[in-house]
PDB file of all heavy atoms in Angstrom:
ATOM      1  N   ARG C1358      44.812  16.967 -48.788  1.00 98.00           N
ATOM      2  CA  ARG C1358      43.776  15.933 -48.566  1.00 98.00           C
ATOM      3  C   ARG C1358      44.011  15.211 -47.245  1.00 98.00           C
ATOM      4  O   ARG C1358      43.111  15.032 -46.446  1.00 98.00           O
ATOM      5  CB  ARG C1358      43.827  14.898 -49.704  1.00 98.00           C
ATOM      6  CG  ARG C1358      42.899  15.197 -50.870  1.00 98.00           C
ATOM      7  CD  ARG C1358      42.630  13.927 -51.672  1.00 98.00           C
ATOM      8  NE  ARG C1358      43.827  13.260 -52.140  1.00 98.00           N
ATOM      9  CZ  ARG C1358      44.425  13.486 -53.309  1.00 98.00           C
ATOM     10  NH1 ARG C1358      43.944  14.404 -54.126  1.00 98.00           N
ATOM     11  NH2 ARG C1358      45.498  12.811 -53.661  1.00 98.00           N
ATOM     12  N   ARG C1359      45.248  14.801 -47.033  1.00 98.00           N
ATOM     13  CA  ARG C1359      45.558  14.055 -45.808  1.00 98.00           C
ATOM     14  C   ARG C1359      45.382  14.927 -44.568  1.00 98.00           C
ATOM     15  O   ARG C1359      44.871  14.494 -43.543  1.00 98.00           O
ATOM     16  CB  ARG C1359      46.994  13.517 -45.871  1.00 98.00           C
ATOM     17  CG  ARG C1359      47.102  12.290 -46.759  1.00 98.00           C
ATOM     18  CD  ARG C1359      48.537  12.043 -47.201  1.00 98.00           C
ATOM     19  NE  ARG C1359      48.685  10.766 -47.853  1.00 98.00           N
ATOM     20  CZ  ARG C1359      48.233  10.478 -49.074  1.00 98.00           C
ATOM     21  NH1 ARG C1359      47.587  11.405 -49.781  1.00 98.00           N
ATOM     22  NH2 ARG C1359      48.412   9.281 -49.598  1.00 98.00           N
ATOM     23  N   LEU C1360      45.820  16.176 -44.702  1.00 98.00           N
ATOM     24  CA  LEU C1360      45.719  17.079 -43.548  1.00 98.00           C
ATOM     25  C   LEU C1360      44.258  17.317 -43.157  1.00 98.00           C
ATOM     26  O   LEU C1360      43.928  17.416 -41.971  1.00 98.00           O
ATOM     27  CB  LEU C1360      46.405  18.413 -43.879  1.00 98.00           C
ATOM     28  CG  LEU C1360      46.447  19.400 -42.724  1.00 98.00           C
ATOM     29  CD1 LEU C1360      47.375  18.901 -41.615  1.00 98.00           C
ATOM     30  CD2 LEU C1360      46.918  20.775 -43.183  1.00 98.00           C
ATOM     31  N   THR C1361      43.377  17.394 -44.152  1.00 98.00           N
ATOM     32  CA  THR C1361      41.957  17.644 -43.852  1.00 98.00           C
ATOM     33  C   THR C1361      41.398  16.565 -42.922  1.00 98.00           C
ATOM     34  O   THR C1361      40.663  16.863 -41.976  1.00 98.00           O
ATOM     35  CB  THR C1361      41.143  17.665 -45.167  1.00 98.00           C
ATOM     36  OG1 THR C1361      41.770  18.602 -46.027  1.00 98.00           O
ATOM     37  CG2 THR C1361      39.703  18.087 -44.949  1.00 98.00           C
ATOM     38  N   VAL C1362      41.776  15.324 -43.176  1.00 97.00           N
ATOM     39  CA  VAL C1362      41.290  14.218 -42.330  1.00 97.00           C
ATOM     40  C   VAL C1362      41.793  14.415 -40.897  1.00 97.00           C
ATOM     41  O   VAL C1362      41.032  14.321 -39.922  1.00 97.00           O
ATOM     42  CB  VAL C1362      41.786  12.861 -42.895  1.00 97.00           C
ATOM     43  CG1 VAL C1362      41.376  11.719 -41.978  1.00 97.00           C
ATOM     44  CG2 VAL C1362      41.275  12.653 -44.306  1.00 97.00           C
ATOM     45  N   VAL C1363      43.081  14.714 -40.781  1.00 97.00           N
ATOM     46  CA  VAL C1363      43.660  14.900 -39.443  1.00 97.00           C
ATOM     47  C   VAL C1363      42.978  16.084 -38.744  1.00 97.00           C
ATOM     48  O   VAL C1363      42.653  16.030 -37.549  1.00 97.00           O
ATOM     49  CB  VAL C1363      45.184  15.133 -39.538  1.00 97.00           C
ATOM     50  CG1 VAL C1363      45.796  15.343 -38.163  1.00 97.00           C
ATOM     51  CG2 VAL C1363      45.856  13.955 -40.229  1.00 97.00           C
ATOM     52  N   GLN C1364      42.731  17.155 -39.491  1.00 97.00           N
ATOM     53  CA  GLN C1364      42.114  18.343 -38.874  1.00 97.00           C
ATOM     54  C   GLN C1364      40.701  18.044 -38.369  1.00 97.00           C
ATOM     55  O   GLN C1364      40.282  18.556 -37.330  1.00 97.00           O
ATOM     56  CB  GLN C1364      42.078  19.498 -39.875  1.00 97.00           C
ATOM     57  CG  GLN C1364      43.434  20.169 -40.004  1.00 97.00           C
ATOM     58  CD  GLN C1364      43.400  21.346 -40.958  1.00 97.00           C
ATOM     59  OE1 GLN C1364      42.861  21.225 -42.057  1.00 97.00           O
ATOM     60  NE2 GLN C1364      43.979  22.456 -40.558  1.00 97.00           N
ATOM     61  N   GLU C1365      39.974  17.221 -39.119  1.00 96.00           N
ATOM     62  CA  GLU C1365      38.618  16.858 -38.656  1.00 96.00           C
ATOM     63  C   GLU C1365      38.711  16.121 -37.318  1.00 96.00           C
ATOM     64  O   GLU C1365      37.939  16.368 -36.397  1.00 96.00           O
ATOM     65  CB  GLU C1365      37.919  15.968 -39.690  1.00 96.00           C
ATOM     66  CG  GLU C1365      37.291  16.772 -40.805  1.00 96.00           C
ATOM     67  CD  GLU C1365      36.933  15.921 -42.014  1.00 96.00           C
ATOM     68  OE1 GLU C1365      36.913  14.676 -41.903  1.00 96.00           O
ATOM     69  OE2 GLU C1365      36.686  16.519 -43.080  1.00 96.00           O
ATOM     70  N   GLU C1366      39.674  15.227 -37.216  1.00 94.00           N
ATOM     71  CA  GLU C1366      39.834  14.481 -35.956  1.00 94.00           C
ATOM     72  C   GLU C1366      40.192  15.425 -34.806  1.00 94.00           C
ATOM     73  O   GLU C1366      39.666  15.314 -33.702  1.00 94.00           O
ATOM     74  CB  GLU C1366      40.934  13.422 -36.106  1.00 94.00           C
ATOM     75  CG  GLU C1366      40.491  12.261 -36.978  1.00 94.00           C
ATOM     76  CD  GLU C1366      41.649  11.313 -37.317  1.00 94.00           C
ATOM     77  OE1 GLU C1366      42.762  11.485 -36.780  1.00 94.00           O
ATOM     78  OE2 GLU C1366      41.418  10.417 -38.127  1.00 94.00           O
ATOM     79  N   ILE C1367      41.095  16.365 -35.108  1.00 95.00           N
ATOM     80  CA  ILE C1367      41.524  17.291 -34.052  1.00 95.00           C
ATOM     81  C   ILE C1367      40.346  18.163 -33.605  1.00 95.00           C
ATOM     82  O   ILE C1367      40.126  18.378 -32.407  1.00 95.00           O
ATOM     83  CB  ILE C1367      42.696  18.175 -34.537  1.00 95.00           C
ATOM     84  CG1 ILE C1367      43.916  17.307 -34.820  1.00 95.00           C
ATOM     85  CG2 ILE C1367      43.034  19.251 -33.512  1.00 95.00           C
ATOM     86  CD1 ILE C1367      45.049  18.027 -35.526  1.00 95.00           C
ATOM     87  N   ALA C1368      39.576  18.662 -34.562  1.00 93.00           N
ATOM     88  CA  ALA C1368      38.452  19.541 -34.221  1.00 93.00           C
ATOM     89  C   ALA C1368      37.479  18.815 -33.296  1.00 93.00           C
ATOM     90  O   ALA C1368      36.965  19.383 -32.326  1.00 93.00           O
ATOM     91  CB  ALA C1368      37.747  19.993 -35.492  1.00 93.00           C
ATOM     92  N   HIS C1369      37.255  17.553 -33.578  1.00 89.00           N
ATOM     93  CA  HIS C1369      36.341  16.746 -32.789  1.00 89.00           C
ATOM     94  C   HIS C1369      36.899  16.574 -31.364  1.00 89.00           C
ATOM     95  O   HIS C1369      36.210  16.783 -30.368  1.00 89.00           O
ATOM     96  CB  HIS C1369      36.202  15.385 -33.487  1.00 89.00           C
ATOM     97  CG  HIS C1369      35.216  14.488 -32.844  1.00 89.00           C
ATOM     98  ND1 HIS C1369      33.868  14.733 -32.890  1.00 89.00           N
ATOM     99  CD2 HIS C1369      35.378  13.351 -32.137  1.00 89.00           C
ATOM    100  CE1 HIS C1369      33.244  13.777 -32.232  1.00 89.00           C
ATOM    101  NE2 HIS C1369      34.148  12.934 -31.763  1.00 89.00           N
ATOM    102  N   PHE C1370      38.171  16.231 -31.292  1.00 88.00           N
ATOM    103  CA  PHE C1370      38.828  15.922 -30.014  1.00 88.00           C
ATOM    104  C   PHE C1370      38.966  17.181 -29.145  1.00 88.00           C
ATOM    105  O   PHE C1370      38.741  17.152 -27.938  1.00 88.00           O
ATOM    106  CB  PHE C1370      40.214  15.341 -30.335  1.00 88.00           C
ATOM    107  CG  PHE C1370      40.901  14.682 -29.183  1.00 88.00           C
ATOM    108  CD1 PHE C1370      40.716  13.328 -28.931  1.00 88.00           C
ATOM    109  CD2 PHE C1370      41.742  15.402 -28.352  1.00 88.00           C
ATOM    110  CE1 PHE C1370      41.356  12.710 -27.872  1.00 88.00           C
ATOM    111  CE2 PHE C1370      42.376  14.789 -27.288  1.00 88.00           C
ATOM    112  CZ  PHE C1370      42.187  13.434 -27.054  1.00 88.00           C
ATOM    113  N   TYR C1371      39.313  18.303 -29.806  1.00 88.00           N
ATOM    114  CA  TYR C1371      39.723  19.518 -29.098  1.00 88.00           C
ATOM    115  C   TYR C1371      38.646  20.034 -28.139  1.00 88.00           C
ATOM    116  O   TYR C1371      38.924  20.359 -26.997  1.00 88.00           O
ATOM    117  CB  TYR C1371      40.082  20.603 -30.124  1.00 88.00           C
ATOM    118  CG  TYR C1371      40.664  21.849 -29.515  1.00 88.00           C
ATOM    119  CD1 TYR C1371      42.016  21.927 -29.217  1.00 88.00           C
ATOM    120  CD2 TYR C1371      39.855  22.947 -29.214  1.00 88.00           C
ATOM    121  CE1 TYR C1371      42.560  23.070 -28.646  1.00 88.00           C
ATOM    122  CE2 TYR C1371      40.389  24.095 -28.639  1.00 88.00           C
ATOM    123  CZ  TYR C1371      41.742  24.149 -28.361  1.00 88.00           C
ATOM    124  OH  TYR C1371      42.269  25.279 -27.793  1.00 88.00           O
TER     125      TYR C1371
END
Side-chain angles (χ1 to χ4, degrees):
R1358 268 201 305 270
R1359 283 161 170 72
L1360 184 68
T1361 307
V1362 176
V1363 179
Q1364 282 182 313
E1365 277 164 15
E1366 288 171 7
I1367 296 170
H1369 184 70
F1370 193 90
Y1371 186 84

